[in-house]
Amino acid sequence: MEDIEDIYVAIEFPKRNESIETFTQNYLKGFKETNGYYEYPRFRGEIEFETDDYKLMLSYILQKEKSRFCFYFENEENSEAPFAMMFFNEDGSLFLGLGVHEQFESKYEQMLKNDFKSSLIMFCYNVMPPDNLAEFKSIIKGK
């Protein structure tokens, strides 16, 4: 079995909501969110909000300009990109990611560039992406 690499597109705050809609429509068909329970903030501080409804938690997170939260998705039937991620960052940015089989890396890189009108694309090669937009930009500029 070939390796899966994570590819992310960085989204600045003003485009966050429309980008989530595009990502959901174009990339998440047939995917299931992997968690069955959500709490905010996660793993730190007193819990402000909790639910077992992904859409309700997503709506709650979207009301906050600066929040740190992750959603993970999977679709075993998707032979090209079986995993997806949404990383909300405290600087207001959003990283939308796909776990893509190596042979489809170029295809999904081009699709993300086209769909999000962005060159802010990063392959993470089995490590987490940075947790802010400035570092994301710095890393891709250095390559």
Side-chain angles (χ1 to χ4, degrees):
M1 180 102 187
E2 63 201 51
D3 289 329
I4 292 180
E5 299 298 347
D6 293 341
I7 181 173
Y8 293 90
V9 59
I11 308 296
E12 297 186 42
F13 179 75
K15 295 182 178 182
R16 202 166 70 163
N17 290 9
E18 70 187 62
S19 297
I20 288 173
E21 190 173 311
T22 298
F23 190 68
T24 300
Q25 289 175 0
N26 295 355
Y27 297 92
L28 295 184
K29 289 198 185 338
F31 278 76
K32 302 274 188 246
E33 217 291 328
T34 60
N35 293 331
Y37 176 77
Y38 311 92
E39 60 184 38
Y40 182 86
R42 203 170 196 178
F43 310 123
R44 57 188 174 163
E46 189 172 326
I47 296 173
E48 292 177 29
F49 183 73
E50 55 189 319
T51 182
D52 60 358
D53 184 330
Y54 153 70
K55 290 183 180 182
L56 192 56
M57 181 54 84
L58 179 60
S59 175
Y60 182 79
I61 296 298
L62 287 172
Q63 293 173 29
K64 300 182 161 299
E65 180 176 335
K66 298 181 179 188
S67 58
R68 185 176 175 126
F69 204 86
C70 304
F71 292 102
Y72 295 93
F73 307 87
E74 63 182 20
N75 180 349
E76 294 175 6
E77 303 300 314
N78 188 320
S79 61
E80 296 180 3
F83 303 103
M85 299 74 69
M86 287 184 197
F87 290 173
F88 291 83
N89 302 304
E90 288 182 352
D91 66 356
S93 67
L94 169 68
F95 302 157
L96 301 173
L98 297 169
V100 177
H101 287 285
E102 284 180 328
Q103 71 190 75
F104 300 106
E105 285 179 4
S106 321
K107 173 185 176 180
Y108 282 91
E109 179 179 19
Q110 195 58 52
M111 287 172 61
L112 291 169
K113 284 180 179 178
N114 292 343
D115 287 345
F116 296 97
K117 313 291 187 262
S118 176
S119 60
L120 297 175
I121 305 285
M122 175 189 292
F123 284 92
C124 285
Y125 303 104
N126 300 313
V127 297
M128 294 292 287
D131 61 4
N132 63 73
L133 187 59
E135 190 176 342
F136 191 103
K137 288 179 176 180
S138 175
I139 291 170
I140 62 173
K141 185 178 179 183
K143 292 189 176 202

